[in-house]
């Protein structure tokens, strides 16, 4: 009983190995199809993302030094995004957005745990991003002095330029790459299933009902003509040697 189970196990393993090999052969046979479709969809994703990248935004950053201990630093970082400051920033700059939207565009962090604090703003308009970052830093310094009587804040480097933050372009490229690969694999196996020719020994054995004992190598017309030409030349040479 144990021997029968071992034989069944070996047959199952061999069957899986054969299937994996067949899948590999199918993919390698039409690898160019997968590559071509993947390249086309990736380029299409890039072009679509480039021409329809309405969600592009710009990021501006300003830095300041806050001379205080860690506990008070946490409190001050929270105050930077407090409605008291953000509402004044929105009003001072006459922004056509709510204070909540302005706050959502702000990122405040301590640089490497130091006393240097970075205020980053992401906005669809580069000039607006710069203005919000600088105005937030200035009003925070003023409000900290008025509310907490804290004056140990020094503006270090105001925002002057912005960095382009790509919107959906990178996402479209990734989607195109994955979609192209999946479509290429699917098309490869579809073409293989539509091919009615016998490609594997197993198929021949199933159709004929007899085991396959040998293979005939593929030979195209060009190879046959070259082979025939060589054989003719050898015959002519042997005849010429015989006449001498």
């Amino acid at each position: 009983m144990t021997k029968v189970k071992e034989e069944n196990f070996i047959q199952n393993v061999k069957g899986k190995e054969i299937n994996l090999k067949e899948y590999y052969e199918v993919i390698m046979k039409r690898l160019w199809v997968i590559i071509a479709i993947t390249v086309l969809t990736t380029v299409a994703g890039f072009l679509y993302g480039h021409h329809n990248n309405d969600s592009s935004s710009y990021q501006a950053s300003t830095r300041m030094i806050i001379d205080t201990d860690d506990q008070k630093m946490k409190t001050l970082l929270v105050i930077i995004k407090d409605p008291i400051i953000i509402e004044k920033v929105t009003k001072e700059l006459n922004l056509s957005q709510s204070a909540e939207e302005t706050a959502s565009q702000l990122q405040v962090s301590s640089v490497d745990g130091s006393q240097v604090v970075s205020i980053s703003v992401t906005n669809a308009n580069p000039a607006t991003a710069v203005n919000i970052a600088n105005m937030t830093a200035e009003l925070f310094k003023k409000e900290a002095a008025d509310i907490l009587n804290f004056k140990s804040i020094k503006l270090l480097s105001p925002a002057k330029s912005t960095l382009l933050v790509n919107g959906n372009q990178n996402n479209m490229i990734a989607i195109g790459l994955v979609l192209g690969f999946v479509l290429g694999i699917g098309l490869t196996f579809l073409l293989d299933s539509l091919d009615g020719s016998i490609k594997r020994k197993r198929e021949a054995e199933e159709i004929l009902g007899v085991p396959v004992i040998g293979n005939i190598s593929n030979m195209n017309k060009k190879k046959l003509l070259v082979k025939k030409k060589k054989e003719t030349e050898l015959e002519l040479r042997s005849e010429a040697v015989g006449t001498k």
Side-chain angles (χ1 to χ4, degrees):
M1 189 70 180
T2 306
K3 186 176 181 181
V4 173
K5 290 182 179 180
E6 289 179 355
E7 291 177 354
N8 291 335
F9 176 76
I10 293 172
Q11 289 178 357
N12 290 333
V13 172
K14 288 182 177 180
K16 290 180 180 179
E17 290 178 352
I18 292 173
N19 289 335
L20 290 176
K21 184 179 179 182
E22 290 177 356
Y23 294 152
Y24 174 78
E25 290 174 350
V26 170
I27 292 173
M28 294 306 297
K29 182 180 178 180
R30 292 187 174 88
L31 183 61
W32 65 271
V33 174
I34 300 174
I35 295 175
I37 293 178
T38 302
V39 171
L40 288 175
T41 54
T42 303
V43 172
F46 170 79
L47 294 176
Y48 180 84
H50 180 72
H51 292 291
N52 299 275
N53 197 10
D54 297 330
S55 60
S56 292
S57 54
Y58 299 84
Q59 188 176 78
S61 299
T62 183
R63 291 188 175 189
M64 54 189 171
I65 296 177
I66 301 178
D67 186 12
T68 186
D69 55 51
D70 293 341
Q71 189 62 37
K72 200 165 188 177
M73 175 70 79
K74 294 179 181 179
T75 303
L76 292 170
L77 292 180
V78 173
I79 292 177
I80 293 177
K81 297 183 68 173
D82 190 85
I84 295 176
I85 295 175
I86 301 304
E87 287 176 1
K88 289 185 177 181
V89 170
T90 305
K91 185 178 179 180
E92 287 288 335
L93 296 176
N94 294 320
L95 299 178
S96 58
Q97 61 185 31
S98 64
E100 289 76 13
E101 289 178 292
T102 304
S104 67
Q105 297 170 358
L106 280 170
Q107 290 182 342
V108 182
S109 62
S110 174
V111 179
D112 297 330
S114 65
Q115 292 182 338
V116 178
V117 174
S118 173
I119 300 177
S120 299
V121 179
T122 304
N123 192 281
N125 188 305
T128 302
V130 170
N131 293 335
I132 292 176
N134 291 332
M135 183 61 68
T136 301
E138 292 175 7
L139 288 178
F140 166 68
K141 181 180 179 180
K142 180 178 182 299
E143 293 298 324
D146 294 342
I147 298 173
L148 301 176
N149 195 26
F150 185 82
K151 300 180 180 180
S152 299
I153 300 175
K154 181 180 179 181
L155 301 182
L156 186 61
S157 55
K160 296 180 181 179
S161 59
T162 58
L163 294 175
L164 175 64
V165 181
N166 288 331
N168 62 346
Q169 184 172 347
N170 292 336
N171 293 334
M172 293 306 301
I173 292 174
I175 292 173
L177 179 65
V178 175
L179 181 62
F181 182 76
V182 173
L183 289 177
I185 292 289
L187 182 60
T188 296
F189 282 99
L190 176 62
L191 293 174
D192 183 73
S193 65
L194 295 176
D195 188 356
S197 61
I198 298 175
K199 301 176 285 297
R200 305 174 185 89
K201 291 193 295 183
R202 177 172 54 81
E203 295 176 355
E205 290 174 347
E206 290 176 354
I207 295 173
L208 299 175
V210 294
V212 175
I213 59 176
N215 294 325
I216 300 175
S217 60
N218 293 328
M219 184 73 74
N220 56 35
K221 185 177 180 181
K222 185 177 179 181
K223 289 181 179 180
L224 286 173
L225 291 174
V226 172
K227 184 178 181 181
K228 187 174 181 181
K229 184 178 179 181
K230 289 182 179 179
E231 291 176 351
T232 304
E233 291 176 353
L234 289 174
E235 290 177 359
L236 293 174
R237 289 177 184 175
S238 60
E239 290 176 1
V241 172
T243 54
K244 292 180 179 179

